[in-house]
Amino acid sequence: MPRVWNTFITAKDRAVYEASGYGARTGYGARPAVIVVDVNYAFTGDRNMPILESVKTWRNSCGEAGWAAISPTQRLLAAARDRQIPVFFSTGSDSRADGFDRGGWAHKTERGSEDLPAARAKMPARGNDIVREIAPQPHEFLIPKGRSGRT
């Protein structure tokens, strides 16, 4: 299968890449893992509802599409857990009380004030919490993703 990035790099870049020894195929390895990225209430909403309704409370919600992914994710996690395959979850971390660490996100939406702790306290759930239906088990890994003050 051709590498899609080859159409975007120059012949010289490709020659340097190959001369440096990079590009070997490694396959999938003998120890797979499952990584569940951002399946949290901020992106799904706190319940299954049409997206235009869900974004009234959770502006980044995928609404019904997010909730449609929960059942297949449960099946994937069950299979991984049965086989003792490691499972990792990532989600955002809470912002500082002064909002300094929100970086450019503070300016990318007219609803940025909803990210401040006082506004979040009124939400029906914590946005960064992994959806309960697929929540990490005690032996699994949760990786909080922070933001820097940079935009």
Side-chain angles (χ1 to χ4, degrees):
M1 179 173 174
R3 295 178 173 161
V4 296
W5 57 83
N6 281 341
T7 60
F8 301 102
I9 61 174
T10 67
K12 181 179 178 182
D13 289 337
R14 196 169 309 122
V16 170
Y17 182 75
E18 290 170 6
S20 298
Y22 294 105
R25 294 201 178 263
T26 59
Y28 292 108
R31 297 203 57 222
V34 173
I35 304 172
V36 180
V37 179
D38 290 340
V39 185
N40 57 36
Y41 293 113
F43 294 122
T44 63
D46 57 294
R47 63 187 185 282
N48 189 359
M49 60 190 328
I51 190 168
L52 289 176
E53 286 300 309
S54 190
V55 297
K56 290 177 183 176
T57 303
W58 304 97
R59 72 170 180 277
N60 294 314
S61 173
C62 297
E64 294 167 311
W67 283 93
I70 299 299
S71 181
T73 304
Q74 286 174 313
R75 290 192 304 274
L76 172 66
L77 291 172
R81 289 164 176 162
D82 285 348
R83 292 166 182 80
Q84 297 183 327
I85 293 173
V87 178
F88 297 83
F89 293 82
S90 73
T91 189
S93 59
D94 291 335
S95 296
R96 291 173 21 161
D98 62 6
F100 181 78
D101 59 344
R102 290 175 39 223
W105 292 103
H107 308 290
K108 292 183 179 184
T109 175
E110 295 172 355
R111 294 173 59 184
S113 62
E114 295 172 17
D115 291 335
L116 297 174
R120 286 188 174 174
K122 299 175 186 172
M123 303 294 275
R126 285 179 22 96
N128 289 323
D129 286 350
I130 302 296
V131 172
R132 180 179 47 83
E133 288 81 354
I134 62 160
Q137 294 185 353
H139 66 281
E140 295 172 337
F141 302 90
L142 179 64
I143 303 167
K145 302 182 304 178
R147 298 184 197 117
S148 69
R150 295 176 282 166
T151 55

